[in-house]
Amino acid sequence: MKQRILKVHTADNVMVALQSLQKGETIHYQGKDYVLAADINAKHKFFEHDMQPGEKVIMYGVLVGTVQQFIPAGGLMTTDNVKHAADPFVYRPSHYQWTAPDVSKFAGRTFNGYHRSDGRVGTANYWLFIPTVFCVNRNLDVIREALQNKLGYAVTDKYKQKVQLLMELYAQGADISQADLSVKESVVKTARLFHNVDGIKFLNHQGGCGGTRQDAAVLGKLLAAYADHPNVGGVTMMSLGCENMQVQDFVNDLKARNPHFDKPLYIFEQQQSQSEEQLVTAAIQQTFAGLIELNKVERRPAPLSQLSLGVKCGGSDGFSGISANPAVGYCSDLLVALNGKVLLAEFPELCGAEQDLIDRTREEAAAKKFIHLMTAYNEAAHKVGSGFHMNPSPGNIKDGLITDAIKSSGAVKKGGTSPVEDVLDYTEPAVKAGLNLVCTPGNDVEATTGQAASGATLILFTTGLGTPTGNPVCPVIKVATNSSLAGRMADIIDINTGPIIDGDKTIAEMGEQILEYCIKAAGGEVTPKAVLLNQDDFIPWKRGVSL
């Protein structure tokens, strides 16, 4: 019989339901019987024993909440009877000892990547269009329609076929409400002209002018980080001319980030052009010439130490912290042991896990930087009537993540158990091998946008509810926490860690499977679903309060 409940840590006083349980049931687990005082849906928690108001709720071995009213043994944890709580954190000298996992089966393995002149290796080869300001987004849209469709990078035309079918039915006077809109994938996609160019990407955004000068300054650093990304082989920049974020500011940020930047960079200013048609034509023509040269770059073997792996969760559920996130964490530890980089972001979702991360940080300066960033961020949220404790979404709560500390303690598992080598503020590049903490919001797209800016060349994105998120320059790999989701949303899920919940696979086995997939994705042997669907989500963080 499959296990029906789980105690995550020996110190916990709550149990996780691995399947839906009924009130009055007696569940036998590790020599004890638990009588349920309420219906417990899968992913939710119930208490081991009677809980009195004010008592601490412990899960993952740490404080995650306090009891607000009497809860009987076997009672359901809810937002009414438990409120968020987390222990304070401080810097204290630590001598953290880490035992790396066995990586013998990965020793000597390589992936076929794109080698850049500065020694970094990309997992993709993109041409990137960057607007300095939202005023020129339309120019990018026009260019996208022309280049992506004609050069073979557009998504399937099946939805255009569906609209065409509706038009025909309407012309015939038919009832379209019950119409069968099934269409055959009969439209042959345009063959790619440039086989070694993986895509032409566009960073449309709503910034660059009208906001604060600080917003423009952060945006400049973010766009420079994307231009310098190892997955980018060439850049076309479109500007208006009068905006806050001037082209020269971007160029200065780019030189500061990489003094030896040598990729093709074509810049077009609309206010200096003869007409919109002349501007767009010139941009297309010069970019096409650049694509011809970029296509000459071919994939070559590179060691796994050249991988930079972002780890992210979104649409999280009550299984995230016990299946997908720990499995990704094991993959992270494998990559760290192979001298690669791992980037753990989402600072609002590290609330309650701070002390563990501080104790694992090798350098005192980095640990204190983490404390400063976390404290300042949370204080800024409180000043506008919010706070990290308000991070869980209605969907999170519905599926068992009752407090932010519960969500965070499960979310941090993505980073594995290795020492923290560095702490990075938003847009700072990861330069040290090992685990890096990257300051971003928990917001899915703002977080992935920030991870790519810090140099992630692949992102592992775990989800329990299903999240259609991608990134323009960094392939995003979706990892499901449960088999139901993986089957229901197979069009967006790449890897299913549901076998952990079902008892068919261990966390270590799934972690190795995830790394195997990453190696194939990095080498172009498999294409993640988010890439196939052109899910190119990009949202700059204005450094305001975003959870």
Short mmCIF file of all heavy atoms in Angstrom, two decimals, residues 395-422:
data_model
loop_
_atom_site.label_atom_id
_atom_site.label_comp_id
_atom_site.label_asym_id
_atom_site.label_seq_id
_atom_site.Cartn_x
_atom_site.Cartn_y
_atom_site.Cartn_z
N GLY A 395 -4.15 30.66 -4.86
CA GLY A 395 -3.91 29.32 -5.38
C GLY A 395 -2.98 28.51 -4.49
O GLY A 395 -3.18 27.31 -4.27
N ASN A 396 -1.93 29.18 -3.97
CA ASN A 396 -1.02 28.51 -3.03
C ASN A 396 -1.79 28.00 -1.81
O ASN A 396 -1.64 26.85 -1.39
CB ASN A 396 0.06 29.47 -2.55
CG ASN A 396 1.00 29.96 -3.63
OD1 ASN A 396 1.53 31.07 -3.53
ND2 ASN A 396 1.23 29.17 -4.66
N ILE A 397 -2.59 28.89 -1.24
CA ILE A 397 -3.32 28.56 -0.01
C ILE A 397 -4.32 27.43 -0.25
O ILE A 397 -4.43 26.49 0.55
CB ILE A 397 -4.03 29.82 0.53
CG1 ILE A 397 -2.98 30.86 0.98
CG2 ILE A 397 -4.96 29.47 1.68
CD1 ILE A 397 -3.56 32.23 1.26
N LYS A 398 -5.03 27.52 -1.36
CA LYS A 398 -6.03 26.49 -1.70
C LYS A 398 -5.38 25.11 -1.77
O LYS A 398 -6.02 24.11 -1.44
CB LYS A 398 -6.69 26.84 -3.02
CG LYS A 398 -7.75 25.83 -3.46
CD LYS A 398 -8.35 26.22 -4.81
CE LYS A 398 -9.35 25.18 -5.28
NZ LYS A 398 -9.90 25.52 -6.63
N ASP A 399 -4.12 25.07 -2.19
CA ASP A 399 -3.44 23.78 -2.34
C ASP A 399 -2.43 23.52 -1.22
O ASP A 399 -1.45 22.80 -1.43
CB ASP A 399 -2.78 23.69 -3.71
CG ASP A 399 -3.74 23.12 -4.75
OD1 ASP A 399 -4.84 23.68 -4.87
OD2 ASP A 399 -3.40 22.12 -5.41
N GLY A 400 -2.65 24.10 -0.04
CA GLY A 400 -1.95 23.65 1.14
C GLY A 400 -0.82 24.49 1.67
O GLY A 400 -0.21 24.13 2.69
N LEU A 401 -0.50 25.62 1.03
CA LEU A 401 0.58 26.48 1.53
C LEU A 401 -0.05 27.60 2.35
O LEU A 401 -0.37 28.68 1.84
CB LEU A 401 1.41 27.04 0.36
CG LEU A 401 2.10 25.97 -0.48
CD1 LEU A 401 2.84 26.60 -1.66
CD2 LEU A 401 3.08 25.15 0.37
N ILE A 402 -0.21 27.35 3.64
CA ILE A 402 -1.02 28.19 4.51
C ILE A 402 -0.28 29.45 4.95
O ILE A 402 -0.88 30.51 5.10
CB ILE A 402 -1.49 27.39 5.74
CG1 ILE A 402 -2.30 26.16 5.28
CG2 ILE A 402 -2.32 28.26 6.67
CD1 ILE A 402 -3.50 26.49 4.42
N THR A 403 1.03 29.38 5.18
CA THR A 403 1.81 30.56 5.59
C THR A 403 3.00 30.72 4.66
O THR A 403 3.42 29.79 3.97
CB THR A 403 2.33 30.42 7.03
OG1 THR A 403 3.40 29.46 7.07
CG2 THR A 403 1.23 30.00 7.98
N ASP A 404 3.56 31.94 4.65
CA ASP A 404 4.72 32.18 3.80
C ASP A 404 5.91 31.35 4.26
O ASP A 404 6.72 30.90 3.43
CB ASP A 404 5.10 33.67 3.81
CG ASP A 404 6.20 33.97 2.80
OD1 ASP A 404 6.05 33.60 1.63
OD2 ASP A 404 7.23 34.56 3.19
N ALA A 405 6.03 31.12 5.56
CA ALA A 405 7.16 30.33 6.05
C ALA A 405 7.06 28.88 5.58
O ALA A 405 8.09 28.23 5.32
CB ALA A 405 7.24 30.39 7.58
N ILE A 406 5.85 28.35 5.47
CA ILE A 406 5.69 27.01 4.91
C ILE A 406 6.10 27.01 3.44
O ILE A 406 6.86 26.15 2.98
CB ILE A 406 4.24 26.51 5.05
CG1 ILE A 406 3.89 26.27 6.51
CG2 ILE A 406 4.03 25.21 4.26
CD1 ILE A 406 2.44 25.86 6.75
N LYS A 407 5.59 27.99 2.71
CA LYS A 407 5.93 28.10 1.30
C LYS A 407 7.43 28.28 1.12
O LYS A 407 8.05 27.61 0.28
CB LYS A 407 5.18 29.29 0.68
CG LYS A 407 5.41 29.46 -0.81
CD LYS A 407 4.61 30.64 -1.36
CE LYS A 407 4.84 30.81 -2.86
NZ LYS A 407 4.07 31.97 -3.40
N SER A 408 8.04 29.15 1.91
CA SER A 408 9.46 29.44 1.78
C SER A 408 10.33 28.25 2.16
O SER A 408 11.33 27.96 1.49
CB SER A 408 9.83 30.64 2.65
OG SER A 408 9.16 31.80 2.22
N SER A 409 9.95 27.56 3.21
CA SER A 409 10.76 26.43 3.66
C SER A 409 10.76 25.30 2.64
O SER A 409 11.72 24.53 2.55
CB SER A 409 10.24 25.92 5.01
OG SER A 409 10.37 26.92 6.00
N GLY A 410 9.68 25.22 1.86
CA GLY A 410 9.66 24.26 0.76
C GLY A 410 10.35 24.81 -0.47
O GLY A 410 11.04 24.08 -1.19
N ALA A 411 10.22 26.12 -0.70
CA ALA A 411 10.83 26.74 -1.88
C ALA A 411 12.35 26.70 -1.84
O ALA A 411 13.01 26.49 -2.85
CB ALA A 411 10.35 28.19 -2.02
N VAL A 412 12.92 26.89 -0.66
CA VAL A 412 14.38 26.94 -0.53
C VAL A 412 15.02 25.60 -0.85
O VAL A 412 16.23 25.53 -1.16
CB VAL A 412 14.77 27.41 0.89
CG1 VAL A 412 14.58 26.29 1.91
CG2 VAL A 412 16.20 27.93 0.93
N LYS A 413 14.24 24.53 -0.84
CA LYS A 413 14.77 23.20 -1.15
C LYS A 413 15.34 23.13 -2.57
O LYS A 413 16.18 22.28 -2.85
CB LYS A 413 13.68 22.13 -0.99
CG LYS A 413 13.08 22.00 0.40
CD LYS A 413 14.10 21.52 1.41
CE LYS A 413 13.47 21.34 2.78
NZ LYS A 413 14.48 20.95 3.81
N LYS A 414 14.90 24.03 -3.46
CA LYS A 414 15.41 24.03 -4.84
C LYS A 414 16.91 24.29 -4.88
O LYS A 414 17.59 23.91 -5.83
CB LYS A 414 14.71 25.11 -5.67
CG LYS A 414 13.20 25.00 -5.74
CD LYS A 414 12.61 25.99 -6.70
CE LYS A 414 12.98 27.43 -6.40
NZ LYS A 414 12.37 27.94 -5.15
N GLY A 415 17.41 25.00 -3.87
CA GLY A 415 18.83 25.35 -3.85
C GLY A 415 19.72 24.25 -3.32
O GLY A 415 20.95 24.42 -3.27
N GLY A 416 19.15 23.13 -2.92
CA GLY A 416 19.97 22.03 -2.42
C GLY A 416 20.55 22.31 -1.05
O GLY A 416 20.00 23.10 -0.27
N THR A 417 21.68 21.71 -0.78
CA THR A 417 22.29 21.78 0.56
C THR A 417 23.72 22.30 0.54
O THR A 417 24.38 22.32 1.57
CB THR A 417 22.28 20.39 1.21
OG1 THR A 417 23.04 19.47 0.39
CG2 THR A 417 20.87 19.85 1.38
N SER A 418 24.21 22.71 -0.61
CA SER A 418 25.61 23.12 -0.71
C SER A 418 25.83 24.48 -0.05
O SER A 418 24.88 25.23 0.19
CB SER A 418 26.04 23.18 -2.18
OG SER A 418 25.42 24.26 -2.84
N PRO A 419 27.08 24.85 0.22
CA PRO A 419 27.36 26.17 0.80
C PRO A 419 26.96 27.30 -0.15
O PRO A 419 26.98 27.13 -1.38
CB PRO A 419 28.89 26.15 0.99
CG PRO A 419 29.27 24.71 1.01
CD PRO A 419 28.30 24.02 0.10
N VAL A 420 26.60 28.45 0.41
CA VAL A 420 26.30 29.64 -0.38
C VAL A 420 27.62 30.35 -0.68
O VAL A 420 28.34 30.76 0.24
CB VAL A 420 25.34 30.58 0.37
CG1 VAL A 420 25.13 31.87 -0.42
CG2 VAL A 420 24.01 29.89 0.64
N GLU A 421 27.93 30.48 -1.96
CA GLU A 421 29.20 31.07 -2.35
C GLU A 421 29.12 32.58 -2.52
O GLU A 421 30.11 33.28 -2.34
CB GLU A 421 29.70 30.44 -3.66
CG GLU A 421 29.92 28.94 -3.59
CD GLU A 421 31.05 28.54 -2.65
OE1 GLU A 421 31.87 29.43 -2.30
OE2 GLU A 421 31.11 27.36 -2.27
N ASP A 422 27.94 33.09 -2.92
CA ASP A 422 27.84 34.53 -3.16
C ASP A 422 26.39 34.97 -3.06
O ASP A 422 25.46 34.15 -3.19
CB ASP A 422 28.39 34.88 -4.54
CG ASP A 422 28.93 36.31 -4.62
OD1 ASP A 422 28.80 37.06 -3.63
OD2 ASP A 422 29.49 36.69 -5.67
#
